[in-house]
Amino acid sequence: MVILTAFCATVALASTTDQTELTIYNQGFGLVKEVRQVRLRQGRQSIAIEDVASRIDPTSVSFHSLGSKDAFSILEQNYQYDLISPQAILNKSVGQRIRFIRTLGDRRDVLTGTLLSAPTAIVATAEGSSQQTYNGMVIRTDDNRIVLDPTGEVEVSSVPAGLISRPTLLWDLDARQSGEDSVELSYISQGLNWSADYVVTIDGKGKGDIQGWVTLNNSSGATWENAKLKLLAGDVHTMQPQNRVVTTALALDASKTKNESGFVEETLFEYHLYTLERPATVRNNEAKQLSLLEGHDVPITKKLVVDSIGSSYYPGEGEVGTGDVKPQVRLEFVNDKASGLGMPLPKGKVRVYQKDQYGSVQLLGEDQIDHTPRNEHLSLVVGRSFDVVSSRKRTNFTRLSDRAVRETFQIEVRNRKEVPETVFVLERHWEDWKITKKSQDFTKLDSNTAQFTVSLKPNEVKKIVYTVETKW
């Protein structure tokens, strides 16, 4: 046990809580801006602020007067993070005189002398295994005895210079005149992050409700009371390892969108900024959830998609088919005002639910969306169909030349449901291709994709047969 008998205090400035602004980026860091009151005296002096985030990036700190640009000049700025602890005090007290109080039976023994070595634990890893080595305490007593690893209480006369109780920003500045001044402190801190999550509950009749949530995580080492909270959605370019924001030019769009959750959305440069209109307290080591948006009776379309080839695989000359393929189940909607939405959606996970016949909500699947502007179309892959199956095989392969082939494919789609279904079959080809024969019409979606739309009655089976010629 370490007993502290002296301590040299530093001056800390109290933050004006109603003027704290916190902008959190969805890339693991945040921008903190605080207005504080400071009493200056004319001439050179030191100003310290203790209650800053322990994961601060000291290279990002800005400190300036709000009253007058030339109220003071900053001569030096320091970030001190050598924190007080028993181990730190002992390490810095090596070579200094200490008192060691130990209990021997029913009596107390006091040793005075010089601390030669402080106890430290070292974890070493060799060939995948770990072992712990212990370097013990060594004291040379006043009568020149060497005492190893005594047990008891250590008493030091003072806290060694340079140790502080919490991370501290320290400025050496020269003030033009004495008096009170308002200063703004801003810095970037790691350990702040936010993410968006969405819950979609469909009614099975083409409509659904969408609830968007924001989850904040604060492991920065600081708590902010009644802060003005802002969330920035977008991929901000940062430089490692300092994680300093490179983009500084800002262009505000005049349009703002407010929703019932209390967030106001605006365009900021090439990003979107969400500002909470009420104060929020963000505590250290806390996960906080806030409602971002709500949409009711949003038109949602279910779509079954068969994509046998995918985006890269193509069967070789000796391969004849891909076997049974379960269609993807997609839910699609438009992020616009007509659908009850219309706010830019930050990237995040979407979970889809539906009530069963007993009224219990069941999870249907989940997907991830990217940052999505307003008026964009979203397609969520929530799973695979159980009762609709397709199979694909190549029935003919002819090599027309060294750089051309002719192939015939057959896709069979089977609906084992008691209700009709529509299935969208995607067939992919590369290079210079052309479908020369077909059993039904198709739509060319892009340079590599043909889409066949198959309408199936209950328990109906249909086949798509087509011939394609490819040159390269």
Side-chain angles (χ1 to χ4, degrees), residues 249-261:
L250 304 179
L252 287 176
D253 192 298
S255 61
K256 294 185 178 181
T257 303
K258 180 179 179 181
N259 61 64
E260 295 178 357
S261 66

Side-chain angles (χ1 to χ4, degrees), residues 123-409:
V123 178
T125 303
E127 299 179 354
S129 62
S130 297
Q131 62 181 9
Q132 192 170 37
T133 317
Y134 183 76
N135 296 333
M137 179 181 291
V138 180
I139 299 174
R140 177 188 287 124
T141 65
D142 290 341
D143 56 0
N144 275 330
R145 289 182 297 132
I146 302 297
V147 179
L148 307 179
D149 277 340
T151 58
E153 299 177 357
V154 180
E155 183 179 287
V156 297
S157 60
S158 63
V159 175
L163 289 180
I164 54 176
S165 60
R166 54 196 306 180
T168 300
L169 285 170
L170 182 66
W171 289 270
D172 182 3
L173 55 84
D174 189 1
R176 186 166 56 91
Q177 61 185 16
S178 301
E180 294 253 349
D181 193 14
S182 294
V183 296
E184 182 181 80
L185 167 66
S186 65
Y187 59 86
I188 292 172
S189 173
Q190 299 296 309
L192 291 164
N193 201 9
W194 72 275
S195 61
D197 294 278
Y198 304 91
V199 175
V200 179
T201 305
I202 62 175
D203 60 6
K205 300 176 182 178
K207 294 290 183 69
D209 295 336
I210 299 178
Q211 173 75 59
W213 290 93
V214 166
T215 301
L216 307 180
N217 286 281
N218 178 16
S219 59
S220 67
T223 293
W224 293 277
E225 300 280 350
N226 299 318
K228 187 172 186 179
L229 180 63
K230 299 187 176 187
L231 310 175
L232 190 135
D235 299 320
V236 176
H237 180 57
T238 60
M239 296 294 291
Q240 298 294 331
Q242 291 90 355
N243 285 312
R244 297 175 66 184
V245 180
V246 172
T247 304
T248 56
L250 304 179
L252 287 176
D253 192 298
S255 61
K256 294 185 178 181
T257 303
K258 180 179 179 181
N259 61 64
E260 295 178 357
S261 66
F263 277 97
V264 174
E265 177 272 330
E266 64 182 276
T267 302
L268 179 69
F269 192 59
E270 291 298 315
Y271 315 119
H272 286 276
L273 188 68
Y274 301 83
T275 302
L276 187 64
E277 288 208 305
R278 62 181 183 273
T281 296
V282 181
R283 295 181 176 86
N284 187 41
N285 295 326
E286 177 185 69
K288 177 188 290 290
Q289 282 195 307
L290 299 168
S291 177
L292 178 64
L293 61 90
E294 290 186 18
H296 300 285
D297 296 327
V298 178
I300 298 178
T301 303
K302 185 188 74 173
K303 191 173 182 179
L304 300 182
V305 178
V306 174
D307 191 357
S308 302
I309 300 301
S311 59
S312 59
Y313 170 76
Y314 195 83
E317 185 171 339
E319 298 180 64
V320 296
T322 57
D324 289 346
V325 176
K326 294 285 189 179
Q328 289 180 345
V329 182
R330 300 185 183 180
L331 293 180
E332 300 185 342
F333 60 92
V334 180
N335 179 28
D336 59 9
K337 289 185 178 180
S339 301
L341 298 173
M343 170 182 280
L345 304 178
K347 65 181 178 182
K349 182 178 290 186
V350 184
R351 294 179 175 87
V352 181
Y353 299 85
Q354 183 177 339
K355 291 183 178 180
D356 59 24
Q357 61 178 334
Y358 301 103
S360 299
V361 174
Q362 306 296 340
L363 176 67
L364 302 183
E366 57 185 35
D367 199 4
Q368 188 86 11
I369 66 169
D370 202 349
H371 297 303
T372 305
R374 58 172 61 89
N375 300 325
E376 285 292 307
H377 179 270
L378 288 97
S379 182
L380 307 175
V381 179
V382 297
R384 297 278 179 175
S385 176
F386 190 103
D387 295 310
V388 177
V389 185
S390 73
S391 58
R392 181 182 191 269
K393 64 181 178 179
R394 181 164 53 189
T395 59
N396 185 55
F397 180 90
T398 304
R399 185 170 293 280
L400 302 178
S401 69
D402 290 341
R403 303 180 66 86
V405 297
R406 179 188 297 121
E407 302 167 281
T408 301
F409 293 93

